[in-house]
Amino acid sequence: MKKINSWEEFKSIDTTTPFYFLKNSTTCPISQSAYEEAEKFAEDHPDMPFSYLNVQESRSLSNKIADEFDVKHESPQIFLFSNHTVLYNDSHWNITYSALVDQVKKHVPKIRK
């Protein structure tokens, strides 16, 4: 998982390939659980790009993502992006390994065809 700290870094991500992005809080137990689920997914799926930010360190980036993609800010929050579009987003206890796998099965095969 690659840590992103700025809008410029976020924009440099290749959006032609689907990728996950996690907004994480370093002080919240729910975020810690979501981060661990995401980290396990990323380790098991090295071909699926995965980036994240820590909200306390990058609040302006977190807000910019919410504004740019018209999605209410939450933390923790997961996004599946492709071609500058949010294919999926969810938050809190819904961020699980199996949910991430399910969304890849649902969205990524369609994109790659």
Side-chain angles (χ1 to χ4, degrees), residues 74-92:
E74 298 190 65
S75 178
Q77 186 172 27
I78 190 80
F79 297 89
L80 178 58
F81 287 104
S82 184
N83 294 319
H84 305 285
T85 302
V86 176
L87 302 177
Y88 161 77
N89 85 86
D90 215 330
S91 66
H92 295 84

Side-chain angles (χ1 to χ4, degrees), residues 63-106:
N63 291 340
K64 179 82 170 168
I65 290 169
D67 291 342
E68 286 290 319
F69 295 97
D70 196 29
V71 177
K72 180 185 171 207
H73 164 77
E74 298 190 65
S75 178
Q77 186 172 27
I78 190 80
F79 297 89
L80 178 58
F81 287 104
S82 184
N83 294 319
H84 305 285
T85 302
V86 176
L87 302 177
Y88 161 77
N89 85 86
D90 215 330
S91 66
H92 295 84
W93 292 114
N94 293 326
I95 302 172
T96 64
Y97 183 96
S98 63
L100 299 179
V101 169
D102 289 346
Q103 291 304 314
V104 167
K105 287 179 182 176
K106 180 178 178 181

Side-chain angles (χ1 to χ4, degrees), residues 14-34:
D14 177 10
T15 62
T16 61
T17 301
F19 69 96
Y20 270 119
F21 193 84
L22 176 69
K23 291 166 59 173
N24 180 57
S25 169
T26 57
T27 58
C28 170
I30 299 170
S31 276
Q32 181 60 36
S33 176

Side-chain angles (χ1 to χ4, degrees), residues 28-45:
C28 170
I30 299 170
S31 276
Q32 181 60 36
S33 176
Y35 183 88
E36 290 169 3
E37 294 285 309
E39 187 175 46
K40 175 72 172 137
F41 174 89
E43 288 171 2
D44 289 350
H45 300 87

Side-chain angles (χ1 to χ4, degrees), residues 3-5 24 26 52-60:
K3 187 175 179 184
I4 303 293
N5 295 304
N24 180 57
T26 57
Y52 74 101
L53 67 77
N54 287 330
V55 174
Q56 289 87 344
E57 299 168 6
S58 303
R59 183 60 189 208
S60 62

